[in-house]
Amino acid sequence: MRLRNKPWAKDMINDNLDLISVQPENMPGKWQDRFEKQQPLFLELGSGKGGFITELAKNNPQNNYIAMEVQEGAIALLLKKQVENKLSNLQLLLANGANLTDMFAEGEVSGMYLNFSDPWPKTRHEKRRLTYKSFLEQYKYVLEKDGYIQFKTDNQGLFEYSLISMNNFGMNFEDISLDLHNNEKLNEDNIPTEYEEKFSKKASG
């Protein structure tokens, strides 16, 4: 996903630093201080416009959530929603996910969400895929002992690559589905992203 530049984005971010962090290097071990309550902490890596994480936070007030996005234009749109909603269990983070261990303490996160990440299909870009072993190492560090990752993609190549990469890394799989929306068990609790809704409509239409 690529968005046009939003001229108003920087000012909006600077005016709402209580809702969004732009200096995560100061935050390892301190993320709970940004929330109203200390609760299990979950992270979405690559939140886009934030439809998924916003709905998740609304439905689960017993958890705290961080929406992490590298594109200023995208997170500014999410920030607009958060300014209106003022969800006390949702914080935003403008940062690159390649350096998670510099932003979170060991075992600080209870679970992670990877939704429709860039597949980086070319072999020379393998190390940029969010399920490459160097990323998995970082997830292992920031996740608590029984933490988990929820991964969704519409790209078959990335799906197959990720299964192999995660298996080789020694991860345990709880549920695997080739057709999430027709899987009654998994789809019951599924919260679609904006991209997911658009893709599903196109596939069914």
Side-chain angles (χ1 to χ4, degrees):
M1 181 188 70
R2 295 292 181 267
L3 294 175
R4 291 181 180 177
N5 182 46
K6 310 292 182 186
W8 47 268
K10 287 187 184 297
D11 287 341
M12 187 168 196
I13 290 170
N14 290 331
D15 289 342
N16 293 280
L17 293 178
D18 58 321
L19 301 175
I20 182 169
S21 176
V22 294
Q23 294 182 311
E25 64 276 6
N26 299 325
M27 294 305 299
K30 302 176 182 178
W31 282 104
Q32 294 286 359
D33 296 341
R34 293 186 64 91
F35 295 93
E36 191 175 274
K37 301 176 184 176
Q38 289 208 2
Q39 305 178 131
L41 182 64
F42 295 84
L43 169 67
E44 183 185 20
L45 193 55
S47 295
K49 299 176 185 177
F52 169 83
I53 198 73
T54 298
E55 196 65 24
L56 193 64
K58 284 180 181 178
N59 294 346
N60 297 276
Q62 76 280 5
N63 296 325
N64 290 333
Y65 296 93
I66 294 176
M68 184 174 180
E69 174 58 49
V70 69
Q71 291 192 63
E72 186 179 80
I75 206 163
L77 292 173
L78 172 48
L79 181 57
K80 261 190 172 182
K81 296 177 185 176
Q82 178 61 345
V83 168
E84 295 173 5
N85 294 320
K86 283 289 196 298
L87 296 172
S88 62
N89 64 334
L90 175 61
Q91 281 283 319
L92 280 53
L93 170 56
L94 177 61
N96 190 318
N99 305 300
L100 284 184
T101 53
D102 295 333
M103 307 176 204
F104 295 89
E106 185 174 5
E108 191 170 11
V109 178
S110 295
M112 291 183 60
Y113 301 93
L114 306 178
N115 292 319
F116 301 95
S117 310
D118 193 325
W120 294 107
K122 295 181 180 179
T123 302
R124 69 175 185 271
H125 292 152
E126 179 187 7
K127 293 182 179 180
R128 298 184 185 183
R129 298 170 192 161
L130 294 187
T131 50
Y132 181 68
K133 59 184 179 182
S134 62
F135 282 100
L136 298 181
E137 284 283 1
Q138 294 197 62
Y139 306 157
K140 181 180 179 181
Y141 177 84
V142 304
L143 284 169
E144 61 184 33
K145 184 178 179 182
D146 296 321
Y148 66 84
I149 297 171
Q150 178 178 292
F151 171 74
K152 291 195 291 186
T153 182
D154 64 333
N155 185 282
Q156 183 176 345
L158 181 61
F159 178 78
E160 293 172 353
Y161 172 87
S162 299
L163 287 180
I164 294 170
S165 180
M166 291 174 172
N167 181 68
N168 290 343
F169 193 74
M171 297 177 70
N172 297 317
F173 298 98
E174 187 170 314
D175 290 296
I176 299 175
S177 176
L178 295 171
D179 189 357
L180 171 62
H181 293 172
N182 287 314
N183 184 311
E184 187 174 337
K185 175 187 174 186
L186 297 180
N187 196 43
E188 182 179 357
D189 298 320
N190 181 51
I191 297 175
T193 67
E194 292 96 342
Y195 175 86
E196 188 175 350
E197 288 181 331
K198 184 177 179 180
F199 178 82
S200 295
K201 288 177 182 177
K202 183 181 289 188
S204 61

